[in-house]
Amino acid sequence: MSRGPTAPTLARNDFHEPPPPFLDVYNIIPIHDLLSDHPSLRYPEVRAAAAALGDVSSLSRPPFVTRDLHMDLMDWLEVLFGFQSDNVQNQREHLVLHLANSQMRQKPPPTIPDELDLKVLRRFRSKLLSNYTSWCSYVGQKSQLALSKRNNNSNELRRELLYVALYLLIWGESGDLRFMPECICYIYHHMAMELNQVLDEWTDPNTGRPFLPSIYGDYAFLKSIVMPFYQTIKTEVDSGNNGTKPHSAWRNYDDVNEFFWSRRCFRKLGWPINFGSNYFATVAKSRRIGKTGFVQQRSFWNVFRSFDKLWVLLILFLQASFIVAWEGNKYPWQALERRDAQVKLLTCFITWGGLRFLLSILDAGSQYSLVSRDTMLLGLRMVSKCMVALTWTIVFGVFYASIWSAKNSAGFWSDDANHRIVTFLEAVFVFVIPELLALVFFVVPWIRNALEELDWSILYVLT
């Protein structure tokens, strides 16, 4: 009998057949393959944004890197600054979706839908980098966005895309540093400066070779930027003993970020960042920069300090009530008809000046730990505030005493005494000018909002 057909057997080499080609992973849009039959790629706006990212023809090739046929602007920034590839993939789709969505909503629609409209990109860049622009104005630094107003220029379109892509890559890899927006502005400011030097084909004066960023290599951004800042934050949080230590004893996210609200961050940290600076946790805590914006001290006096206007109102009203009641009239307005009672009510301004002096003492007592060698102006401001409040109290006391001196010398309310009352009231008008301005700003808030957006030094001094 003949045996039936046997089952096919697997040869040893069959186990080692090459696997099928690996398809690039993606979240929503397969940007790596614009020819694939994916629903999202049927929209011309998506193809336009993805195609704009792929224009790397005139960019210089980073050294020691072979040019990939599929390299786009995001890949070029990855190689140039050492971003992580997964971050690049995420932010690539993030950027394409933003630009495509913005171009879809443009009214009227662009003439050529398959091309990215420069106006759409500029509008998105202006919104995305608005905080960076405001930060540059606040700290008195020139923005590193080297932009032109010319339209239909491929180089300008590419530069706009690079600025936007660089910010998204920094933001995507910053992790918890996103709670420190001004710190991210500081990092972006210097990395955009180095990006401009690469695009403008600068030559490194030390080597004579084409300029390269100070952050370079695999995972360079994570190792050289994110980790040192994160380690500093972690050290500060650990020193807070799970939040049980006083607020003044350790720095939280806001305190670490407020360091970048002043120009001294450029002097202290520089670029490349000086990790030996006393801003980082690499130095002893006693030599480390402390809080720079606000310190909350646990004290009973915070009840007065936080609600000082209410306490001033109650105390002055109580004093005025005592003065009027002491006259012994049936109705309070009857006491106000006599000049003696009117002049006695002027003592409320002496009390008001004393309360301002008390408030300035409490401010200095609760915020003294902010004063350091680098913040001497803040200490001078505290002392000046105390001296001004004390001066007003003394001036009111001297003027008030001169009124009664003139009255007692003449035995009645003479012209000299009345003139001194007018002088006292003129001083009172100068004294309440800040309160009147605050009232005007409260009634007309748009004036206050406009002044708050200005970065004039005179406004900082006056406030």
Side-chain angles (χ1 to χ4, degrees):
M1 294 179 60
S2 63
R3 303 180 61 180
T6 59
T9 59
L10 295 177
R12 182 180 298 273
N13 292 335
D14 292 340
F15 288 103
H16 301 282
E17 291 181 355
F22 177 73
L23 298 178
D24 289 344
V25 294
Y26 61 92
N27 294 320
I28 300 175
I29 304 176
I31 305 176
H32 60 281
D33 186 7
L34 297 180
L35 299 179
S36 64
D37 186 18
H38 191 275
S40 62
L41 297 179
R42 299 171 188 172
Y43 294 96
E45 296 82 1
V46 175
R47 297 194 302 270
L53 281 177
D55 184 12
V56 294
S57 55
S58 62
L59 295 178
S60 60
R61 181 177 61 86
F64 313 113
V65 175
T66 57
R67 182 180 293 275
D68 187 354
L69 294 178
H70 301 288
M71 176 181 285
D72 61 6
L73 297 180
M74 306 289 280
D75 296 320
W76 187 77
L77 288 174
E78 172 191 355
V79 174
L80 194 65
F81 291 104
F83 292 108
Q84 298 182 65
S85 58
D86 291 337
N87 173 41
V88 172
Q89 291 181 0
N90 290 333
Q91 298 308 320
R92 179 185 291 112
E93 291 193 38
H94 186 189
L95 179 56
V96 168
L97 288 172
H98 265 299
L99 295 177
N101 190 29
S102 298
Q103 187 148 324
M104 287 178 183
R105 299 186 180 193
Q106 187 179 15
K107 299 296 180 180
T111 307
I112 307 177
D114 285 333
E115 290 185 6
L116 180 61
D117 193 333
L118 185 56
K119 294 180 181 178
V120 172
L121 177 57
R122 283 176 173 169
R123 192 181 308 118
F124 175 69
R125 184 263 307 160
S126 177
K127 184 176 181 180
L128 179 68
L129 301 179
S130 60
N131 185 56
Y132 167 70
T133 305
S134 301
W135 175 81
C136 288
S137 176
Y138 184 78
V139 297
Q141 294 290 321
K142 182 180 179 181
S143 171
Q144 293 297 330
L145 303 180
L147 303 172
S148 173
K149 295 183 179 180
R150 293 176 297 177
N151 295 325
N152 300 325
N153 189 322
S154 60
N155 291 330
E156 291 302 319
L157 178 68
R158 185 186 303 110
R159 190 177 284 261
E160 293 263 8
L161 277 172
L162 285 171
Y163 287 142
V164 171
L166 177 62
Y167 186 86
L168 289 178
L169 290 173
I170 293 173
W171 181 86
E173 202 162 327
S174 293
D176 285 359
L177 299 189
R178 297 170 191 166
F179 294 111
M180 302 162 54
E182 281 67 46
C183 175
I184 291 183
C185 289
Y186 180 85
I187 297 171
Y188 178 79
H189 179 79
H190 290 90
M191 294 182 68
M193 176 184 65
E194 295 186 335
L195 173 63
N196 289 331
Q197 294 172 351
V198 173
L199 294 177
D200 297 338
E201 299 181 351
W202 280 35
T203 301
D204 192 330
N206 297 322
T207 63
R209 295 176 176 271
F211 178 83
L212 288 177
S214 56
I215 305 171
Y216 188 79
D218 294 339
Y219 307 108
F221 181 76
L222 175 66
K223 296 177 181 178
S224 302
I225 300 296
V226 177
M227 290 179 63
F229 280 102
Y230 178 81
Q231 187 60 41
T232 297
I233 297 172
K234 182 178 183 301
T235 303
E236 292 288 348
V237 173
D238 292 342
S239 66
N241 197 16
N242 199 22
T244 58
K245 284 191 176 182
H247 182 265
S248 58
W250 58 288
R251 296 182 295 174
N252 55 23
Y253 281 103
D254 290 338
D255 302 314
V256 176
N257 181 61
E258 285 172 0
F259 176 75
F260 297 94
W261 290 4
S262 65
R263 301 177 186 177
R264 64 173 178 154
C265 64
F266 294 89
R267 183 179 69 257
K268 284 285 186 179
L269 298 185
W271 192 269
I273 293 180
N274 176 22
F275 295 109
S277 169
N278 57 354
Y279 171 83
F280 293 98
T282 53
V283 300
K285 188 174 181 61
S286 58
R287 296 177 47 242
R288 202 177 304 160
I289 293 177
K291 294 176 178 288
T292 57
F294 174 75
V295 178
Q296 179 181 354
Q297 300 284 356
R298 297 172 182 174
S299 171
F300 171 78
W301 286 105
N302 284 332
V303 177
F304 176 79
R305 182 170 174 266
S306 301
F307 304 98
D308 59 289
K309 287 181 170 47
L310 176 62
W311 281 105
V312 168
L313 173 67
L314 295 176
I315 293 173
L316 295 183
F317 185 82
L318 179 63
Q319 179 179 350
S321 301
F322 281 159
I323 294 173
V324 173
W326 201 263
E327 296 297 318
N329 296 99
K330 182 177 181 180
Y331 299 106
W333 54 84
Q334 294 175 344
L336 296 178
E337 296 175 355
R338 293 194 296 274
R339 181 56 58 89
D340 286 5
Q342 295 174 358
V343 174
K344 290 178 182 178
L345 286 175
L346 296 179
T347 57
C348 292
F349 293 101
I350 303 177
T351 305
W352 194 355
L355 292 175
R356 276 194 177 181
F357 177 68
L358 174 61
L359 179 62
S360 63
I361 292 294
L362 293 178
D363 285 339
S366 60
Q367 304 295 308
Y368 68 91
S369 59
L370 295 178
V371 181
S372 63
R373 183 180 301 175
D374 299 318
T375 57
M376 295 301 295
L377 289 179
L378 181 60
L380 179 62
R381 181 182 180 185
M382 293 180 182
V383 174
S384 300
K385 189 175 181 180
C386 295
M387 296 303 297
V388 169
L390 180 61
T391 300
W392 275 115
T393 306
I394 295 175
V395 167
F396 285 149
V398 171
F399 283 2
Y400 183 77
S402 67
I403 294 174
W404 286 106
S405 176
K407 189 263 183 183
N408 294 333
S409 299
F412 61 95
W413 290 105
S414 61
D415 292 340
D416 182 34
N418 291 330
H419 178 70
R420 296 186 180 188
I421 294 175
V422 173
T423 303
F424 188 98
L425 294 178
E426 290 174 348
V428 167
F429 176 74
V430 177
F431 176 77
V432 299
I433 283 179
E435 305 297 334
L436 295 177
L437 289 176
L439 179 62
V440 171
F441 294 155
F442 178 78
V443 176
V444 190
W446 65 267
I447 298 179
R448 180 188 60 198
N449 296 336
L451 291 177
E452 288 179 349
E453 293 178 358
L454 298 176
D455 300 322
W456 298 351
S457 300
I458 185 63
L459 293 179
Y460 178 78
V461 173
L462 291 177
T463 56

